[in-house]
Amino acid sequence: MRYSFALLLFSLFLTCATVPMIAQTIKVQVITKKIEKTFQFKEGYEVNIEGEKAEVNIQTWEKKEIQVVIELIAKHPEKAVAERDLELMKHLAQRVKNKIYLRNYLSSAEGKEKSEPEAYLSVKYTITLPAECPVYLKNVFGAANISSLTNRLRVNSEFSRLGLENLKGAVEIKTRFGDLIGQDLDGWFNIQSRRSDLTLQNISGRFNIQAQYGTIRLFANEDLADLRLDAEKSEVWFYHPNPQFVGYSLNARGSEVKLPSRLNARWLESDTGERKITFSPNREYYPNVSIRITFGNLHVEKRVAP
Amino acid sequence: MEYRELNRNTLERAIRELPGYTPEQELWTAIEAHLEQETQDKHLRMATHQLPLYSPPPLVWENISNELAQKPRLRKLWQRPGFAVAASIFGVLLSVGAWLYLSESNGTQMVLHSTEMLDVTGFEGDWDEDEADIAMVVSMIEKLPANENLSALKTELEELNEAKAVLTNNMTQYGKDAEMIRRLSKIERERSKIVKQMAAEI
């Protein structure tokens, strides 16, 4: 009996010792400075955002106004510390000529050379604007969700998650060390991605993508017009409802390529090990897909309706 | 989108029959003159910024202050209806302008306080524990004869090292959170892969 109890205790000790992490939660005081501002929208205006550690949400409405809500947030177990460090976070929301500048940054504390806050700091932007308002967003160490824009959008994102939904128009994205997740995208898209993963659902229009070191999943619909993808050291999946009705120009070097069995195409291999394939369906109109893959893998598959 | 023209000859003939136009003779001269005017304006604007600034003598401010202190002669203005109407319109416009300006420049601001539970599991920074071993592998690689693969691995490692430095610096500034640690973990996994490939070359 004593032996069994000792064994049980030992087992319990082993269980505790081998659990890698024990959940730790702490109670924190949250101090939020909320700024609300509205700008009149006129044709030619652009919203220009530079966020740092910011969660940016951009949505549209019918009004000819640009509404900006900025929340500067500091969290710390001690309220006084949270309040003190909140003051280190500065913001700017100002119109200069036809640009509406929105910024946040950390300032140095008085008497100190470099700010060293103790609190957890973050920023949240909620921007509501007309669909036709052009937007430029630069974001580092944060996240952004952008929906329903129809004009020009430029995004430069680093170490951030970027979500796009229901976008039209000319879109230019640069992402580094991030994730790009898109849904219902139709327009002229130009994407440069490095060390980022891309998942784009229900895409149509024209896409030009350059990617290195990423996992790329593209789900096209029938209205895809053009896709040019240059992927290096990346895993690529391209899905289309009718992959046999697409014109392909594929170029692979040091890569595995898997095509649908219904696609009767023959590879041409050069002396340098580069393989090429071109295929045109027997139709008057068809989307053109041009993919160059280097040291990666490419899968072309039929898209199954969800 | 590829396009296969079924009636190519018809299309080509139609294109050939399209009328051609040449721009007017004065067009380029006008564009040149316009560009020159813009350059001159730019120079003028730059020059105005470089003009020296002079402070007026204190007497000037005193005189202005004295003039302002005097009672305005409103009665004379209202004796002329034209001036009165113009002044009213100006006043309304000024009010609207001021309202528009102030409505953009101010906005509202408030400070809120609440409490919440924060999960800080795994926030301890153990990501520098293997730096000495990584540095050792890199120093051994440095002694090997250079080749294309090794230099590519070194370049990749440098990029990842830089990304790690930027990320950890940001965590010092803003504090750690789950998303940042997830990103750092991904960078660390990629660094590990490269270091292992480097070690295999030794």
Side-chain angles (χ1 to χ4, degrees):
Chain A
M1 180 70 187
R2 183 183 282 181
Y3 176 75
S4 310
F5 184 67
L7 194 68
L8 180 71
L9 272 181
F10 183 66
S11 311
L12 270 173
F13 167 75
L14 270 184
T15 313
C16 293
T18 50
V19 167
M21 256 175 234
I22 297 164
Q24 281 178 282
T25 50
I26 53 168
K27 187 180 179 182
V28 288
Q29 307 291 323
V30 184
I31 308 292
T32 306
K33 189 189 278 182
K34 191 174 180 183
I35 303 110
E36 287 188 27
K37 213 165 170 183
T38 303
F39 301 87
Q40 294 299 314
F41 172 72
K42 286 181 191 166
E43 204 177 319
Y45 275 22
E46 183 190 70
V47 172
N48 187 302
I49 311 148
E50 280 196 20
E52 196 175 273
K53 193 77 196 328
E55 184 190 324
V56 182
N57 292 303
I58 300 175
Q59 60 211 13
T60 60
W61 63 4
E62 295 293 318
K63 292 185 194 174
K64 296 288 177 197
E65 285 177 357
I66 298 160
Q67 189 192 58
V68 178
V69 179
I70 305 173
E71 289 166 83
L72 307 171
I73 304 157
K75 296 177 186 176
H76 193 271
E78 288 176 41
K79 191 182 169 195
V81 176
E83 282 173 335
R84 183 198 67 197
D85 287 352
L86 183 72
E87 293 307 311
L88 296 176
M89 279 201 290
K90 304 293 177 196
H91 78 281
L92 173 86
Q94 194 181 342
R95 181 174 69 79
V96 179
K97 291 187 178 170
N98 60 348
K99 282 198 168 62
I100 291 154
Y101 291 100
L102 307 174
R103 301 276 187 275
N104 72 276
Y105 54 94
L106 272 183
S107 74
S108 300
E110 214 169 296
K112 282 186 181 178
E113 275 190 13
K114 198 181 173 189
S115 53
E116 286 172 356
E118 292 171 50
Y120 299 97
L121 303 174
S122 60
V123 183
K124 193 175 173 186
Y125 290 86
T126 307
I127 301 159
T128 315
L129 37 69
E132 67 270 28
C133 180
V135 172
Y136 169 78
L137 167 66
K138 183 180 177 186
N139 201 17
V140 282
F141 310 111
N145 291 301
I146 305 172
S147 62
S148 307
L149 293 178
T150 57
N151 200 335
R152 196 177 73 243
L153 169 68
R154 292 175 297 146
V155 181
N156 191 345
S157 174
E158 286 193 3
F159 303 99
S160 300
R161 182 174 47 78
L162 176 62
L164 307 175
E165 196 182 348
N166 186 27
L167 293 186
K168 289 184 171 66
V171 179
E172 200 177 296
I173 310 278
K174 278 185 192 171
T175 169
R176 194 168 159 263
F177 289 103
D179 299 304
L180 170 58
I181 299 159
Q183 170 89 35
D184 300 331
L185 309 177
D186 179 9
W188 289 265
F189 280 74
N190 204 331
I191 300 171
Q192 286 179 35
S193 153
R194 185 165 174 84
R195 297 190 185 276
S196 300
D197 294 337
L198 271 61
T199 304
L200 307 179
Q201 300 263 9
N202 203 26
I203 59 169
S204 49
R206 294 169 192 276
F207 279 75
N208 188 7
I209 304 172
Q210 288 171 316
Q212 292 108 26
Y213 299 103
T215 302
I216 297 149
R217 288 187 174 84
L218 305 171
F219 297 81
N221 67 25
E222 293 281 9
D223 294 327
L224 179 78
D226 237 335
L227 166 68
R228 286 168 201 277
L229 169 64
D230 191 343
E232 236 179 87
K233 298 175 182 111
S234 298
E235 288 279 330
V236 178
W237 277 265
F238 172 69
Y239 299 90
H240 192 277
N242 292 299
Q244 71 278 21
F245 298 149
V246 173
Y248 295 96
S249 169
L250 308 177
N251 194 314
R253 187 167 158 254
S255 306
E256 290 290 320
V257 178
K258 280 190 182 173
L259 300 175
S261 52
R262 293 177 68 184
L263 206 74
N264 290 319
R266 238 165 22 101
W267 285 98
L268 295 173
E269 191 159 349
S270 73
D271 298 339
T272 55
E274 199 167 317
R275 294 186 299 154
K276 285 181 185 175
I277 198 169
T278 50
F279 173 81
S280 302
N282 193 18
R283 294 187 140 208
E284 192 172 354
Y285 300 103
Y286 52 85
N288 211 347
V289 170
S290 169
I291 300 176
R292 174 184 289 272
I293 179 111
T294 314
F295 301 120
N297 293 313
L298 168 65
H299 308 256
V300 176
E301 292 178 21
K302 183 177 172 64
R303 179 183 168 189
V304 183
Chain B
M1 181 79 75
E2 280 286 325
Y3 179 66
R4 283 184 180 177
E5 180 55 47
L6 296 177
N7 302 302
R8 192 180 178 83
N9 293 336
T10 315
L11 178 68
E12 283 177 359
R13 195 174 66 243
I15 290 169
R16 278 198 300 273
E17 286 171 8
L18 282 171
Y21 298 99
T22 49
E24 290 173 23
Q25 287 288 325
E26 298 81 27
L27 186 69
W28 298 116
T29 324
I31 291 171
E32 266 177 17
H34 185 68
L35 287 173
E36 199 173 324
Q37 182 67 40
E38 275 193 358
T39 315
Q40 282 174 1
D41 287 351
K42 194 180 168 188
H43 286 156
L44 189 64
R45 278 198 302 274
M46 284 168 71
T48 53
H49 287 300
Q50 289 164 1
L51 285 171
L53 288 170
Y54 298 104
S55 300
L59 188 66
V60 175
W61 295 117
E62 276 175 26
N63 288 342
I64 293 170
S65 180
N66 288 337
E67 276 180 32
L68 288 172
Q70 285 174 8
K71 280 187 181 178
R73 292 176 183 179
L74 282 175
R75 192 177 290 173
K76 281 192 176 177
L77 178 70
W78 293 111
Q79 281 171 356
R80 295 182 174 183
F83 279 156
V85 172
S88 305
I89 293 169
F90 178 73
V92 169
L93 288 175
L94 191 68
S95 308
V96 170
W99 178 77
L100 280 174
Y101 176 77
L102 290 173
S103 66
E104 275 197 2
S105 61
N106 289 333
T108 61
Q109 186 171 311
M110 63 181 95
V111 177
L112 309 163
H113 174 233
S114 62
T115 56
E116 68 177 42
M117 298 304 290
L118 194 68
D119 187 354
V120 292
T121 314
F123 277 24
E124 307 81 27
D126 63 344
W127 32 81
D128 289 331
E129 281 179 10
D130 304 310
E131 287 307 312
D133 294 332
I134 293 171
M136 186 186 71
V137 172
V138 173
S139 70
M140 289 167 87
I141 285 290
E142 298 287 353
K143 291 170 191 160
L144 295 175
N147 70 49
E148 200 180 320
N149 185 37
L150 276 181
S151 56
L153 287 172
K154 274 193 275 184
T155 311
E156 265 191 64
L157 188 65
E158 278 164 19
E159 187 189 8
L160 291 167
N161 288 347
E162 191 195 324
K164 180 185 175 180
V166 171
L167 203 56
T168 48
N169 179 52
N170 190 269
M171 287 202 292
T172 313
Q173 297 266 296
Y174 284 92
K176 297 164 195 163
D177 67 23
E179 182 65 21
M180 302 276 267
I181 292 171
R182 193 182 70 80
R183 292 209 178 277
L184 186 59
S185 307
K186 198 177 172 193
I187 290 172
E188 285 297 277
R189 284 199 298 275
E190 288 182 28
R191 286 178 83 223
S192 306
K193 268 190 216 168
I194 290 166
V195 172
K196 279 192 269 184
Q197 286 178 54
M198 282 179 161
E201 297 274 336
I202 295 169

